[in-house]
Structures are given as structure tokens and as C-alpha cells.
Amino acid sequence: IDGPGHSFASEEDVFIRLNVGKIPLTNAELIKALFLNRSNFEKRTQDGSTKSHDEVRLRQLEIATQWDAMEEELSDDMFWYFINGKENKSRPRINYLFNIISGTTASAGDDYATFRFFNDKFCKNADVGEQWEEIYSKYQILREWFKDRFYYHRIGYLLTFGGKLGTLLDQYLSPTRLKTAFMAALSEQITKVIAWDGQEDLAKKEDDPRIRRILLLHNVITMANHENDDARFPFDKFHTVKWDIEHIQAIADPEKKPVEPEDRKRYLSDAAVFVSNEALKGEIGSFVNDEAKIKDNDKFGVIYGRIIAHFAEEDVESSETDSLSNLALLDPKTNRGYGNAVFPVKRVTILKKDQEGQQFIPICTLYAFLKYYTRENAGDLNRWRMLDREAYMADIKAKLSAFLQKGETR
């Protein structure tokens, strides 16, 4: 290309780099060469004329400038993980955009399927301007969705759980579909993703994906409903961490019991700070200072169970500890850092991490440990009571119901 800051490789140069120089090229580099190749601008128009040198040069510069702007915008992790829906390490990132627009990806034996898709178009005398306008206009739609909080939260959520960006673009651009219908369709698709009517009693099951989907949607909706127009759920932070489904109130699970002596000492010492029963607190102290007791699995198991019971509410059935009303999303680093700690220890740990900005804490997880859902009747801050569970569950149901109501638009 003629112009400062840009270089152009002819088809012959591309061939040399691929086959002689052994320098691997990406689909994006090859596609850029196609769109900036002077010969592709010199196709004759219907009246038989060709573009002047200055016209071609100006168009090349325009495409190259827009290309650079797209690459810079795609370097923004918030935008990248919004359109991605997962951790995609594609380099350069613009490769992903052309995969989506072309509907092709690298296949067995052909790493350059996306490049060939566009090359075939130019071999058939496709107009450079028309081809680029189609690409750039679709990219601008993605930017529009990113800036619009209505689209951002709904599309970002759908892409998290297998939604196809290309399919959503096609639906949005369908000449037979109104934009209001597209908005309503987004809610319908999310309804299918969670597959929950708000009535079924969901318990924590490793093979039930709905728990994670509901918990994430609760967080997304809470951010979407925030009065601050700049408030957004950070998909970039969410997609770069693998999330645990954590019990808000600890359960007496033997598999979560600390094993190493130092871990047991820390567990007991942390819990003792919040224990109100003096007899139990004294017994904890005797364990911490007695190596034999600390190492004895049976004896430690007894006091471990008593601590769990001390912070449990009497009106909460043991079977309810695995219910949705006692579950939240938490990153593994924070979760496993305190193990199966009791509620007040988890609470202090999470609030400290949030205050110091050490780790992203999903807003609904933070609200749960702040006892936000019963803020006017928070009661004992050291316990996750039945009242807290009911208020938390009511908020999940209310927000999902309002968000997913049939035909919802702006």
C-alpha cells in the first residue's frame, strides 16, 4: 500500500514468505493483504472505467486506518471477552472477527480456510469497497452492542453459555425481523439457557449446569439494573477465572475438613474469634495448643462438627444447605484459601479482598456476605439465617422473572 505507516505484500511476496522464508502468516495478515492489494481495486466498473491512482490510494488508506482502529479496540479486554464468551487466546484477535463474519474456522489440513473464503470472493471479481463495508458494518454492530447496556448484558450472557455470535448477527440483520423482536428473542434464548421456572428446588449437583447459569444471571441482572449507567458486569474478569459454586453457610462435609496440622490450627483460630460459647472457645484453644489432638482425625472431626453446628441456624434443615438459597459464585483462590470456613470467617475474608481489590468478587456474592438482602433486619452478622436465605432466594426469583418476562424490550 502507498502510505505512511503501512506496508503491502503482493500475492508473490506472500507466496515467498510462506514457502521460502518459513515465516508463518495469520489469516488476518493474508486477508489484510487482499483488501489492500492494488489489483483488487482496479477491477473495471460497469461503465468500463477504472479508479484513479489517487482514488485507490485514498481507499487503501481508509481501510488500513479502520483496520488499525479495529485491532486497537479488540485489545480492550472488556470488549474482547464480551464478544468472545470465553477465554480465547487467538492471536491476533482480529482473526476471530473474520472467522465469525465468514462463518469459517481452521479445519483439518487447512489452517487458512478463512483467508480462502475471502480470496475466493476476489477471484470472482468481488468489489473491495462492498466487501469491506460488509465487514466494517458488522464490526460496528458489535461495538454498538458493547456500548448499549441492554445488549451488552444479554448478549454477553448468551455468549458465555454457547451462544453463537455469527448467529446473533444474522438474526439482528434479518430484513424480516424488527429490532424489538430481536430484543425479545434474546430474553427467550436466555430462558432456554437457564431452563428453570423459579419453582423447582435446585440443589447443588455437579452434573446440573443450571446452578451456575442461574447464579451468573442473577449477578448480570443485578449489574444491568444498577442506576449508574456505567455499571456493567465485567465479563472480562469472569471469563479469565474458573468459578466455584460455594456454600454461603459452611456444611459439615468431611471431604472439606482441613487435613494438615497448620491448616487445622488456622481453621480453629479463625473460627474462635467469632465463637460466642465460652466453653467451646476454651476447647478450641486446647486443640490449637495440643499437637496430638490436632493430628487426631477423629478428635478433630468432633470439634470441627461442633464449630459448624455452632454457626448453623436451628431452623435450617441439613438438607437445605445444598439448596440454591445457600450457594454463590466465588473464585477458587478465595474459596480454597479459607476452605470450609464458617460464615463469619468467609465474610471477613471476602470483604477484605473486595476492599483491597485483590480479586473480583461477583456482586451478588458480595451482597450475600454483606447481608444486603436483609439489610433492614440483618440480625446476627455471624450467621446465614433462614431469613437471609429466603430473602436471597426471593431476590433471585424476582430479578430473573422481571428480566425474562415474555416480549421484554427496553
Side-chain angles (χ1 to χ4, degrees):
I1 176 175
D2 298 320
H6 297 286
S7 60
F8 167 69
S10 68
E11 291 173 350
E12 290 80 11
D13 291 332
V14 169
F15 180 85
I16 291 172
R17 289 176 65 189
L18 278 172
N19 297 278
V20 178
K22 303 299 183 184
I23 301 173
L25 286 173
T26 66
N27 278 281
E29 288 176 303
L30 292 168
I31 292 168
K32 186 175 185 179
L34 284 176
F35 277 98
L36 299 181
N37 188 339
R38 173 173 291 279
S39 66
N40 287 329
F41 287 87
E42 295 175 346
K43 310 290 186 186
R44 289 190 175 273
T45 59
Q46 290 183 349
D47 62 5
S49 63
T50 59
K51 293 182 175 63
S52 69
H53 174 82
D54 287 343
E55 287 178 312
V56 170
R57 182 172 180 273
L58 183 62
R59 191 66 173 120
Q60 286 176 316
L61 285 172
E62 181 181 16
I63 292 174
T65 299
Q66 291 174 339
W67 184 292
D68 289 346
M70 288 162 58
E71 288 200 302
E72 182 177 355
E73 290 168 345
L74 286 167
S75 69
D76 177 1
D77 281 348
M78 282 197 69
F79 180 47
W80 175 243
Y81 285 107
F82 159 65
I83 64 173
N84 227 309
K86 59 184 177 180
E87 185 176 4
N88 186 330
K89 297 181 179 179
S90 175
R91 290 292 184 274
R93 289 179 172 182
I94 202 169
N95 273 343
Y96 172 70
L97 178 64
F98 288 110
N99 289 343
I100 294 300
I101 291 174
S102 66
T104 61
T105 55
S107 57
D110 187 1
D111 292 334
Y112 296 99
T114 304
F115 160 71
R116 297 185 196 288
F117 172 86
F118 290 100
N119 188 52
D120 288 347
K121 285 180 174 289
F122 288 117
C123 288
K124 297 175 183 178
N125 294 321
D127 181 79
V128 171
E130 291 179 1
Q131 292 301 308
W132 180 253
E133 284 304 318
E134 180 183 353
I135 291 169
Y136 194 64
S137 64
K138 287 185 176 181
Y139 175 77
Q140 289 302 312
I141 290 172
L142 301 184
R143 293 295 301 172
E144 175 190 332
W145 287 351
F146 175 67
K147 295 175 182 178
D148 187 304
R149 293 176 73 247
F150 182 95
Y151 288 128
Y152 172 84
H153 287 102
R154 288 158 179 79
I155 291 173
Y157 179 84
L158 282 173
L159 295 179
T160 298
F161 294 110
K164 302 299 182 183
L165 187 58
T167 301
L168 291 173
L169 276 169
D170 290 341
Q171 292 173 350
Y172 182 81
L173 291 169
S174 172
T176 61
R177 168 168 283 184
L178 298 173
K179 294 298 181 287
T180 52
F182 175 73
M183 293 176 186
L186 293 177
S187 292
E188 293 172 5
Q189 291 176 57
I190 294 173
T191 301
K192 292 179 181 178
V193 167
I194 63 170
W196 184 59
D197 61 3
Q199 302 302 315
E200 183 182 353
D201 183 20
L202 297 180
K204 183 182 179 183
K205 300 175 182 176
E206 295 299 327
D207 60 347
D208 191 340
R210 292 178 297 171
I211 295 290
R212 189 178 304 274
R213 294 175 180 183
I214 292 168
L215 291 175
L216 177 58
L217 184 57
H218 186 215
N219 280 276
V220 169
I221 296 170
T222 299
M223 293 299 294
N225 290 351
H226 203 286
E227 292 182 359
N228 181 354
D229 289 342
D230 294 329
R232 289 166 170 257
F233 182 83
F235 288 107
D236 55 324
K237 294 180 180 178
F238 182 82
H239 289 309
T240 51
V241 173
K242 292 183 179 180
W243 296 87
D244 288 343
I245 298 174
E246 167 66 355
H247 290 93
I248 299 173
Q249 170 61 50
I251 60 172
D253 185 350
E255 293 184 2
K256 292 189 174 185
K257 184 172 59 178
V259 175
E260 298 300 324
E262 289 306 312
D263 292 336
R264 289 180 174 183
K265 287 180 182 180
R266 186 173 68 251
Y267 180 89
L268 294 175
S269 298
D270 288 347
V273 175
F274 302 98
V275 170
S276 56
N277 184 302
E278 291 301 324
L280 179 57
K281 182 175 290 191
E283 190 174 345
I284 292 173
S286 71
F287 259 85
V288 172
N289 298 313
D290 190 324
E291 291 292 332
K293 285 184 177 180
I294 283 289
K295 294 179 180 179
D296 189 307
N297 288 329
D298 292 335
K299 289 181 179 180
F300 180 79
V302 171
I303 197 164
Y304 169 77
R306 289 183 62 191
I307 291 172
I308 297 292
H310 176 77
F311 289 100
E313 282 288 292
E314 293 182 358
D315 58 350
V316 177
E317 297 290 337
S318 60
S319 61
E320 293 174 325
T321 57
D322 272 341
S323 72
L324 187 59
S325 65
N326 191 41
L327 300 175
L329 292 173
L330 198 62
D331 66 284
K333 183 178 179 181
T334 301
N335 184 17
R336 294 161 195 173
Y338 58 56
N340 193 35
V342 291
F343 179 81
V345 175
K346 294 179 182 179
R347 183 175 187 274
V348 169
T349 302
I350 288 172
L351 298 186
K352 182 175 183 292
K353 285 182 177 290
D354 180 68
Q355 182 181 32
E356 296 176 351
Q358 296 180 23
Q359 180 65 45
F360 164 60
I361 308 294
I363 190 169
C364 295
T365 300
L366 183 62
Y367 280 178
F369 284 94
L370 281 171
K371 302 195 81 169
Y372 170 90
Y373 300 106
T374 48
R375 54 192 177 279
E376 296 178 357
N377 188 19
D380 187 350
L381 295 180
N382 291 335
R383 288 177 172 79
W384 182 246
R385 307 161 301 164
M386 178 59 79
L387 185 65
D388 301 312
R389 294 167 183 266
E390 291 173 347
Y392 176 56
M393 194 67 194
D395 193 76
I396 292 175
K397 290 182 177 181
K399 281 190 167 67
L400 266 64
S401 176
F403 187 83
L404 298 173
Q405 58 183 308
K406 187 175 181 180
E408 184 207 35
T409 56
R410 292 186 190 279

